[in-house]
Amino acid sequence: MMERFTPEERRMAEYLLAILPENERRQIADRILVDEELYASLASMEESLIDSYARSELLPEEARMVEAALLSTVEGRARYRTAQALAAHERRTSRRYRNQWLLCAAALLVTCGLIFEFGAIRRVPLPQAASIVLPGEALRGSSHVESRTLPPGDGAVSFALPVAAADHVSRYAVLVRTPRRTELNLPARESSGAVYFTVDRALLQPGRYEFELYALPARTLLSYTPIDLLAGPR
């Protein structure tokens, strides 16, 4: 994977994987304290490496380095579970859309009187909506904050965040700020006017959450959305 990186991206990846020479690591560590753009780029690279690991896109040696450097902490493993859940959801969605296309093709052939034998075709349900649909963009400090109820169940919880047509880009990331002020940097995917991402349920508890949607790779802030997450039935 890393052979596709630019020299600067490769340097950031090697820093995160602890394989950069010590003198260069110290230089980057010093810059992080004063360079917000570098900090954001490193956070994005970390999410990219974990996402690629979850999708089995890394070479064996790269995967071992990610395990040792990024998945050895509780937070790192939580991010991996979130990326894994998102990858599994996308695979299921892709299969469903493929089967829906086959159904449409079969219906067209019937209409035209050119029906053939499609013995394996069957009805497949539409992809389910996200468990929690977030409200639109809000102003920071607003006195009105909408609430949402945490759905029952275990595992990852899916979120959908509306995105304006003018803000459409090829890559997104979402920063989630929890009631404990912990920050989660999560990959996101856009479909049908909304950006979808998942959060490990173990990281969710009742309280005030803030969601910031960013366009990548420049990490441009697109929207800010606060909600009060309420406890649901268990």
Side-chain angles (χ1 to χ4, degrees):
M1 173 187 174
M2 288 197 290
E3 69 273 6
R4 301 196 302 268
F5 289 164
T6 65
E8 181 60 23
E9 289 173 336
R10 187 179 184 89
R11 189 164 179 258
M12 288 190 293
E14 291 177 346
Y15 172 81
L16 292 169
L17 298 176
I19 58 176
L20 200 65
E22 183 60 28
N23 61 324
E24 294 186 51
R25 284 182 55 80
R26 284 198 299 269
Q27 292 174 6
I28 293 179
D30 291 340
R31 284 179 55 198
I32 292 174
L33 300 177
V34 296
D35 191 335
E36 293 186 3
E37 184 176 347
L38 175 62
Y39 177 83
S41 297
L42 283 169
S44 178
M45 175 58 69
E46 182 175 0
E47 294 299 332
S48 177
L49 289 170
I50 293 176
D51 188 57
S52 296
Y53 178 89
R55 298 170 187 273
S56 301
E57 295 175 350
L58 301 178
L59 297 174
E61 181 61 26
E62 295 172 341
R64 284 192 290 271
M65 288 188 291
V66 168
E67 290 170 355
L70 303 181
L71 305 184
S72 58
T73 65
V74 173
E75 182 180 359
R77 290 190 292 272
R79 289 180 177 179
Y80 164 66
R81 289 194 295 271
T82 298
Q84 190 179 41
L86 179 61
H89 172 75
E90 290 181 347
R91 288 194 297 270
R92 291 194 298 270
T93 300
S94 176
R95 287 196 296 268
R96 286 167 178 167
Y97 278 128
R98 183 171 61 250
N99 287 339
Q100 284 180 297
W101 182 88
L102 290 173
L103 285 170
C104 290
L108 179 62
L109 289 174
V110 170
T111 302
C112 297
L114 300 174
I115 187 65
F116 293 98
E117 184 65 33
F118 282 83
I121 294 179
R122 58 184 178 84
R123 181 171 296 278
V124 177
L126 289 170
Q128 296 181 350
S131 299
I132 297 179
V133 179
L134 299 173
E137 182 177 7
L139 296 176
R140 293 183 187 273
S142 173
S143 59
H144 176 70
V145 177
E146 295 189 30
S147 63
R148 296 290 186 269
T149 300
L150 189 63
D154 298 313
V157 176
S158 297
F159 289 82
L161 181 61
V163 59
D167 291 332
H168 178 78
V169 295
S170 59
R171 293 175 57 209
Y172 296 90
V174 175
L175 184 147
V176 182
R177 194 171 290 109
T178 73
R180 296 181 177 178
R181 311 312 293 174
T182 300
E183 293 186 351
L184 308 174
N185 288 281
L186 306 173
R189 300 291 182 270
E190 187 270 339
S191 177
S192 303
V195 167
Y196 296 86
F197 58 98
T198 58
V199 181
D200 192 318
R201 190 188 179 96
L203 301 177
L204 298 174
Q205 61 179 348
R208 177 68 53 87
Y209 287 77
E210 297 175 346
F211 299 85
E212 295 178 358
L213 177 64
Y214 290 91
L216 300 178
R219 202 166 178 86
T220 303
L221 179 63
L222 300 179
S223 67
Y224 165 81
T225 305
I227 66 163
D228 287 328
L229 190 59
L230 309 179
R234 299 298 296 178

